[in-house]
Structures are given as structure tokens and as C-alpha cells.
Amino acid sequence: MSDRGFSVVICVYTEDRWEDILAAVDSVRRQSLPALETLLVVDHNPALLDRLAKEYQEYGPLGGSAAEGEEVRVLANAGPRGLSAGRNTGIAAARGEFVAFLDDDAVAERDWLRYFAEGYEDPRVMAVGGRTMAAWASGRRPVWFPEEFDWVVGCTYRGLPRGKVRVRNVLGGNASFRRRAFDASGGFATGIGRDGDKRPLGCEETELCIRLAKAMPDAVLLIDDRSVIHHKVPVAREQFAYFRTRAYAEGLSKALVARSVGAGKGLESERRYTTRVLPAGVVRGLRDAVLGRRGGAGRAAAIVTGVAAAAGGYAVATARARVAGAPTFSSGPISPAGRTDHLDPTDRADPADRARPISSAAQSEVS
């Protein structure tokens, strides 16, 4: 049985982010609603695992000095390399009724978990996400960088609804789920999403949320933009080259999601975004250019380039899948013993949707 409260999972992979990791953990320990525990999941990096274990040994379950909200457990990723398997490792170890995810280079505002908790007062709610604000390393947004593409740097972008609203999917770096949502639908799919410093893929949370809605048709997924985190954007990600590469990788990822859950659901929100939000952004940029406002032409050009890059990635991944066969993903049960006997029968997903092995073809497609 899980304890009521939040288990916060932070997946880490490199010592280069040491100070960022410490800041992320500290922001969780300062929450107005204390977390039950913080789980640091280390992605196949023994040196970082050992260093973190020593850093937080007094705050572990055997340390004896952890006050409410201060317990920190350091775990090794028990699955293949990558963010999805790391998150699944955290979910499997979590004791909380709710599991929240925070990026390793982000800090949460003091009421982050409290606003998440308010969303779960409705028993139908299975996931609550929040708003992610960019913390630009240079001190300010590049003038050419359109707000419509803030997802490129892992942040909330222009076009998402404001307030507390129902959504198709939450954004993985600032999100929470009821623990039984994973029991019903399985975990994050390996074969989608990030793997350390490799190509910046994503969309694993989109695929999971669509699968969750299929497993639990009455489930409600929310974004509450009062649940705020601040996500660090390093200088390298402020460059146009990264913008283009990330947009291309998003196209690859969207193709994988569409193959997994169907293009209808996999691209439902994206169609509205590309036909309404982005054209309006181009018009704003051109208008600013005509009015002599700095960066307007650059923003319009960046939107056009980003769309072209994403479309190119989608086309390439789709063409490769036709040659190599449809990609499949591993998203099976993630409870410690694979146990499902404690679930309400209405919460159970079709086993065929929860235990699909990943093919070598799918792995090569996204590498």
C-alpha cells in the first residue's frame, strides 16, 4: 500500500549538473506542502550515484535525521539508459499516493506541490501538470526566439491554455500522477524520449497520457499554471542550431507517438497548434518587423524554420518505419512485483497495451 502524499522523482545523469541537482532537491525540501520523499534516479553513472549517495546519506531512510519532507533516496536506473526507464524506476520505488516529476535542472516554487494536491481533490483526476518558466543563462530571452517554441527548451509555450484546465497531456518535466494511473496504463515507454546527451527526443509523456486515457476513459488530466517551476536554459540551448535540431527531433518523436497510439490522438493537439497558434505567431513577428521592433523578423523566420524542421523529422521517421516495420515500445507494469491484484478491475488496461516489447528497429530509428 502507498502512503498518502507525494513522492518526487528527479532523474539525473551527469555530474556537470551537480549544483543544479542540489538546487532541485532543495526546492522540493522547502515546499509548503512537504513531500513524503525525494527520489534521485541516476542514469547509469556510477560516479554520480556514489557522490549523491554520500551527499544525502543522512537524509536517507537509514540516516535517522530527515525531518518531514526531507527524506532523499538515491537509486540507480534499473532499466535501459534513458529518461523513461529512469522515471519508471522512480515510480516503482515510490511510496506516495502521488508521484511528481521535476527536471534535474529546474527549481520548484514553494507552493508547487500544494497546487498539485488541490487538483487531486477530484477523484477523477489522474494527472496534474504545471507551468514551466525559462531561466535563460544569458539573463534574457534571445530576441529571435518565439514564445510559441518555448517547448524547445522544455518550457510552457504560447498556445497552451492558461489557468486550471483539462488537457490531453501534461508536460513531463513538471507533472504529477496518481500512482494507480501507472498501475492501470503501465509506465513511460522506452524507445521514446531522451537518452543522456544523444539527440534531444521527447514526447514520452504525451504517449503515456494518451495510453492512460485509453486505459481509463473517465480519467481527467489537468494543467494548473499556479504550479510553477523555473527551468534552466544553458547558453548552448539559446542558439539557433539547437533550436533547429530540437525541432527536428520533435518531429521524429511525434512520428513514434503516432505509430504507437494512432495519428488521430497522437497529433490531435498538434494540428490546432500548427493551424492556429503558429500562423498567428508569424503574423505578430512580421507586424513587429514592420513597426521596427527588434527581433520580429527573426521570430517569424524561426517559426517557419521550426515547422519545416519538425515536419522533416516526422517524414523521415515515418519513411524509416515503413521500411523497418512499425516501432513497438516497452511500457509494461512497473509495480515492484508486477502485481495487479490490488487494482480495481475497471482500472486495468488491456495487457496487450502494457507489455509490448521494443524492437531493435525502433531503437535504431530514434538513435
Side-chain angles (χ1 to χ4, degrees), residues 267-339:
L267 299 177
E268 182 179 39
S269 296
E270 288 71 17
R271 290 191 182 97
R272 292 193 296 269
Y273 170 73
T274 55
T275 58
R276 299 179 186 178
V277 176
L278 295 184
V282 172
V283 170
R284 271 192 302 274
L286 295 176
R287 181 191 61 200
D288 287 347
V290 170
L291 295 174
R293 294 170 181 165
R294 190 162 169 254
R299 289 190 295 275
I303 291 173
V304 173
T305 301
V307 171
Y314 187 90
V316 167
T318 301
R320 288 178 179 172
R322 290 196 185 106
V323 174
T328 54
F329 311 102
S330 175
S331 57
I334 56 173
S335 57
R339 195 167 50 85

Side-chain angles (χ1 to χ4, degrees), residues 143-348:
V143 294
W144 60 267
F145 203 114
E147 293 181 12
E148 292 83 359
F149 273 77
D150 277 5
W151 55 262
V152 164
V153 291
C155 296
T156 300
Y157 54 91
R158 182 192 289 266
L160 282 179
R162 298 299 300 269
K164 186 175 182 179
V165 293
R166 189 168 182 172
V167 293
R168 179 195 66 179
N169 64 274
V170 296
L171 304 180
N174 179 12
S176 64
F177 295 82
R178 286 191 193 272
R179 179 61 179 78
R180 67 188 183 95
F182 300 110
D183 295 331
S185 63
F188 289 92
T190 56
I192 305 177
R194 297 213 176 201
D195 176 359
D197 288 320
K198 293 185 179 180
R199 178 174 285 159
L201 299 166
C203 296
E204 65 278 0
E205 68 274 4
T206 301
E207 194 273 345
L208 169 65
C209 289
I210 294 172
R211 187 161 22 92
L212 172 60
K214 180 180 178 182
M216 303 180 71
D218 295 329
V220 173
L221 286 69
L222 300 175
I223 282 182
D224 186 339
D225 64 9
R226 298 173 300 171
S227 291
V228 178
I229 70 169
H230 298 267
H231 185 264
K232 184 176 180 180
V233 182
V235 172
R237 295 188 181 184
E238 296 182 13
Q239 309 306 310
F240 187 73
Y242 179 82
F243 177 92
R244 187 176 58 243
T245 299
R246 177 67 184 90
Y248 177 79
E250 184 74 1
L252 296 176
S253 301
K254 292 297 183 188
L256 293 177
V257 172
R259 298 290 289 190
S260 176
V261 299
K265 284 293 184 183
L267 299 177
E268 182 179 39
S269 296
E270 288 71 17
R271 290 191 182 97
R272 292 193 296 269
Y273 170 73
T274 55
T275 58
R276 299 179 186 178
V277 176
L278 295 184
V282 172
V283 170
R284 271 192 302 274
L286 295 176
R287 181 191 61 200
D288 287 347
V290 170
L291 295 174
R293 294 170 181 165
R294 190 162 169 254
R299 289 190 295 275
I303 291 173
V304 173
T305 301
V307 171
Y314 187 90
V316 167
T318 301
R320 288 178 179 172
R322 290 196 185 106
V323 174
T328 54
F329 311 102
S330 175
S331 57
I334 56 173
S335 57
R339 195 167 50 85
T340 59
D341 54 288
H342 63 294
L343 299 180
D344 186 309
T346 60
D347 287 350
R348 301 190 187 197

Side-chain angles (χ1 to χ4, degrees), residues 13-21 48 51 197 232:
Y13 70 99
T14 176
E15 289 186 83
D16 293 341
R17 293 186 176 181
W18 179 256
E19 295 299 327
D20 295 333
I21 295 168
L48 179 58
R51 188 178 179 187
D197 288 320
K232 184 176 180 180

Side-chain angles (χ1 to χ4, degrees), residues 94-108:
R95 300 198 311 265
E97 180 180 351
F98 310 104
V99 183
F101 298 95
L102 180 66
D103 279 344
D104 63 344
D105 53 355
V107 293

